Amino acid sequence: TMPKEGDRVTASGEAYYEPVPGENDDEGTSTGVYKLPPDAGPADYVMHPYRSLQCFMNALISNFGWRFSVQIGVMYLCVKGVLNAVMGLIKLSYCKKTLNIDGNACQTMVSVSMTPWAIKGAIGVVSDAYPLFGYHKKSYILGASVMGTCAFVALAALPVHSAAFAAILLFFANLEIATCDLLCEGKYAELMQQKPKTGSTMVSYVWGCFQLGSLFASLFVGPIADHYDPQIIFWFCIPLALSIIVPTWLNYLSDEKVPDEKRGVDWELVREHPYIIAFCLIMATIAIGNAMLDVLLFDSHLLQMVYACSTTVILSVLAFRWLPRQLAMCNFYMFMSCVLYINISGAQDFWFTADEKCVPGGPNFDYTYYNT
């Protein structure tokens, strides 16, 4: 998201999140670092992990409040942790056992489903410029969560046999994760900027929750995919998709409601960053166009390649014309590093997990081994 002077303030001019001790001074700001006492004994070393965690959580709650900590914990443990990891781990077994499609179709389906991650810039622009139902973040998170939950219900309950239809449902499932991730990330980055002396407390908390969630997902996806239809795993995804709705509805994100007289499109923001906003919207349009092309012409790989190459040239030219040069160079480098990296993981996945009949003498890995 793009900050600007006076961004996100109440009518009185005060910041809309609840102040915590140490807001404007060193007192009350804790970095959560636990140190052993000088005369530490065996018991101190045994208790060191627990006391370190306790000290860390006390610092986190002291600096950011327990409500916001719950919001971020749910987001990065349940949604981006477990749910996002399940989405990545289930794709192979879902393509092979449920949809019965080959590697080419599976990769096309995954490409469509991952499109929301390419339009995060546009999501951020829209949420900054237009407060939906009076909120810049809360309403967007709730809307995306409802769509994502409905998508998971359909994936779990409907007899989906079309890769194109599955790609559309997975698109909305990823839209929830990408939107919630972006807006929660923007909020905690804002609070970290307000309290820079908290150090890496929030970032450590976010990544700790994410890694724990990913680890937990890897423990059950493989065994279930081996013994049952992988489609049933989507039933486990429904409560995870719903989990972010509760703290967001209770406004644990501390997203201040915009006064009625200030609602509508923030044209001042648009005038301040016209080219960046235009670039984000064009990139999102191209990404959605690519997804629609993949869905409508699922097996037309040559046409898909022509579209991707031509739009790549357009976006690269616009980036160097409209974005700050340093940002354009970074974007172009990261893009080229991905393009030039020869990735055959999709074909490898199918080969490694093929049965003896398909690949005689092959590794024949089961999903428990391959995913867990």
Side-chain angles (χ1 to χ4, degrees):
T1 58
M2 294 172 295
K4 64 186 183 67
E5 186 177 358
D7 193 25
R8 309 289 191 275
V9 294
T10 63
S12 62
E14 297 178 353
Y16 66 82
Y17 65 89
E18 183 180 353
V20 295
E23 179 71 34
N24 298 312
D25 51 53
D26 293 342
E27 184 179 357
T29 301
S30 173
T31 58
V33 178
Y34 172 75
K35 296 181 179 180
L36 287 168
D39 55 345
D44 293 305
Y45 286 98
V46 172
M47 294 297 294
H48 185 271
Y50 169 75
R51 291 171 181 170
S52 295
L53 179 61
Q54 184 182 44
C55 183
F56 175 84
M57 293 305 300
N58 288 339
L60 179 76
I61 294 172
S62 174
N63 291 326
F64 298 98
W66 69 268
R67 290 180 178 84
F68 188 73
S69 300
V70 169
Q71 172 83 33
I72 297 300
V74 170
M75 170 61 216
Y76 289 97
L77 180 64
C78 298
V79 180
K80 194 176 182 182
V82 180
L83 188 59
N84 189 53
V86 168
M87 294 281 287
L89 293 170
I90 197 178
K91 63 182 181 182
L92 177 61
S93 57
Y94 183 63
C95 287
K96 294 183 65 176
K97 296 185 66 174
T98 303
L99 298 178
N100 294 312
I101 58 177
D102 60 19
N104 290 333
C106 184
Q107 288 182 310
T108 302
M109 185 193 76
V110 172
S111 175
V112 174
S113 68
M114 296 298 290
T115 300
W117 296 94
I119 64 175
K120 288 176 69 175
I123 295 172
V125 165
V126 172
S127 67
D128 274 355
Y130 183 77
L132 183 64
F133 300 116
Y135 293 96
H136 284 283
K137 292 180 172 63
K138 176 181 176 180
S139 298
Y140 289 97
I141 292 176
L142 291 175
S145 299
V146 170
M147 288 189 289
T149 301
C150 291
F152 280 115
V153 171
L155 286 165
L158 297 181
V160 179
H161 299 295
S162 167
F165 183 49
I168 295 173
L169 295 177
L170 291 169
F171 172 94
F172 286 103
N174 273 296
L175 181 64
E176 174 187 1
I177 303 173
T179 301
C180 296
D181 176 41
L182 173 70
L183 299 182
C184 288
E185 187 178 52
K187 183 59 181 178
Y188 78 69
E190 177 187 337
L191 297 187
M192 287 175 60
Q193 188 177 24
Q194 295 290 337
K195 292 179 66 66
K197 293 185 182 295
T198 58
S200 60
T201 306
M202 179 55 69
V203 176
S204 299
Y205 179 60
V206 166
W207 281 95
C209 290
F210 171 70
Q211 296 295 339
L212 284 175
S214 300
L215 176 62
F216 178 73
S218 67
L219 296 178
F220 69 86
V221 172
I224 293 177
D226 274 328
H227 296 92
Y228 307 97
D229 187 337
Q231 185 177 9
I232 69 171
I233 297 176
F234 290 119
W235 287 109
F236 296 94
C237 295
I238 296 173
L240 294 171
L242 283 169
S243 64
I244 193 66
I245 293 179
V246 176
T248 304
W249 181 265
L250 296 174
N251 205 22
Y252 283 9
L253 192 64
S254 299
D255 192 21
E256 184 72 16
K257 192 171 186 178
V258 178
D260 293 340
E261 61 273 13
K262 292 187 177 181
R263 296 188 186 182
V265 178
D266 188 349
W267 293 110
E268 181 183 349
L269 177 65
V270 176
R271 288 190 293 268
E272 187 175 352
H273 305 283
Y275 293 115
I276 295 178
I277 291 175
F279 182 80
C280 290
L281 295 178
I282 291 173
M283 183 170 63
T285 302
I286 289 175
I288 293 175
N290 182 71
M292 293 177 63
L293 179 66
D294 288 349
V295 170
L296 297 175
L297 301 172
F298 205 80
D299 297 317
S300 301
H301 302 304
L302 178 61
L303 186 58
Q304 294 168 4
M305 184 184 70
V306 171
Y307 179 89
C309 292
S310 58
T311 53
T312 294
V313 174
I314 294 173
L315 287 176
S316 298
V317 172
L318 292 179
F320 280 96
R321 288 188 63 86
W322 288 354
L323 300 182
R325 184 168 181 81
Q326 185 177 18
L327 181 59
M329 293 289 287
C330 289
N331 281 343
F332 188 71
Y333 167 76
M334 289 186 287
F335 171 76
M336 292 303 297
S337 67
C338 293
V339 170
L340 298 177
Y341 174 68
I342 301 176
N343 185 357
I344 58 173
S345 60
Q348 282 183 321
D349 290 340
F350 273 73
W351 187 83
F352 279 124
T353 57
D355 56 24
E356 181 67 23
K357 181 179 178 181
C358 181
V359 182
N364 309 138
F365 293 145
D366 58 19
Y367 298 115
T368 301
Y369 177 83
Y370 202 64
N371 290 148
T372 304

